[in-house]
Amino acid sequence: VEHLREEGVAFRAMTRSREEAMKRLGPAFADVDWVECDVRDAAQVAAAMRGVTEVISVIGANQITGPNSAEFVDYGGVKNLVDAALAQKVRHFVLLTAIGVTDPDHPFNKATKGALGWRLKGEDYLRASGLSYTIVRPGGLVNDPAGQKGLRIEQGDHWRPLLRSTLSRDDLALVLIESLRNPAARRTTFELVNDPEAAPGAWREAFSNLRPDP
């Protein structure tokens, strides 16, 4: 939200609770075009998405079991967003998931009773939809400022060498926004972590080396 506004991009911010969003972001963001929506409700999603031309989805479950678990948010919510995007003829859809979604043996998958598997189902639903898309799989997220470290982009979900790697949420935001604009990111899936040995900003050139999904 902060970076989109800084860059002068017209956007609508979806949240389940505008009040909670204001607590997190502060009164300076009260003028944002907020829309309250529960992504588990297809009708609410369809209404919230009217007039939208591009999507960045960063939704995520906050329960291991129950109505806010990955089955209903990371898969069901993504499915509702994709269906609404199709109805709106959205030009591009950027989806945030996680490193390790393809491997049932990933420690996070075991700890969350298969949550990453539902994220993979969400990825697959988007890929099969026919929409133009980018899927970003970040490492563990931290609150470091953008540009303090370089970024490493990988493809293939070879997560084990990246297991202890982290990623600045600020850097992630910049990559998600760039994924909307850069044609090289179309129909690609990639992993993303900070790399102290890489030059900050060099990741923009690395986009040109991305391989489209089969």
Side-chain angles (χ1 to χ4, degrees):
V1 169
E2 182 177 354
H3 286 292
L4 285 168
R5 194 164 74 168
E6 284 178 357
E7 296 190 24
V9 178
F11 67 94
R12 179 181 302 156
M14 181 188 291
T15 177
R16 192 183 299 190
S17 168
R18 185 180 184 277
E19 181 181 0
E20 181 64 25
M22 288 297 91
K23 286 180 182 177
R24 295 189 182 193
L25 294 176
F29 291 87
D31 60 344
V32 167
D33 180 12
W34 293 102
V35 57
E36 290 189 328
C37 175
D38 184 340
V39 294
R40 301 169 303 176
D41 186 316
Q44 286 189 38
V45 174
M49 291 268 282
R50 289 192 187 111
V52 168
T53 57
E54 296 164 319
V55 175
I56 297 176
S57 171
V58 294
I59 63 173
N62 61 9
Q63 292 180 338
I64 294 177
T65 60
N68 288 326
S69 65
E71 178 180 358
F72 303 106
V73 178
D74 297 307
Y75 173 62
V78 168
K79 181 179 183 297
N80 289 337
L81 287 170
V82 170
D83 289 344
L86 282 167
Q88 289 295 315
K89 297 181 172 57
V90 160
R91 293 193 294 257
H92 195 64
F93 193 116
V94 179
L95 176 64
L96 178 71
T97 62
I99 282 177
V101 294
T102 62
D103 191 345
D105 291 328
H106 190 286
F108 185 81
N109 217 19
K110 291 182 175 181
T112 58
K113 299 183 179 179
L116 291 183
W118 289 111
R119 287 200 166 197
L120 180 60
K121 284 181 178 289
E123 286 189 7
D124 289 342
Y125 193 84
L126 174 57
R127 288 192 194 93
S129 70
L131 288 169
S132 175
Y133 69 85
T134 305
I135 297 170
V136 183
R137 297 168 170 168
L141 298 176
V142 295
N143 290 324
D144 297 337
Q148 300 296 303
K149 299 176 183 177
L151 290 169
R152 178 176 173 183
I153 295 174
E154 296 283 350
Q155 291 184 278
D157 203 21
H158 306 298
W159 60 267
R160 293 180 189 277
L162 306 176
L163 182 59
R164 299 186 182 279
S165 299
T166 59
L167 175 64
S168 156
R169 286 183 170 88
D170 258 4
D171 280 325
L172 171 60
L174 295 176
V175 172
L176 294 175
I177 295 169
E178 180 67 13
S179 296
L180 286 178
R181 301 186 287 216
N182 195 319
R186 299 291 186 265
R187 297 194 66 81
T188 64
T189 302
F190 58 90
E191 292 76 55
L192 185 70
V193 295
N194 279 124
D195 182 355
E197 296 184 6
W203 61 270
R204 295 182 185 275
E205 288 73 34
F207 261 42
S208 62
N209 298 320
L210 286 170
R211 302 184 306 276
D213 292 337

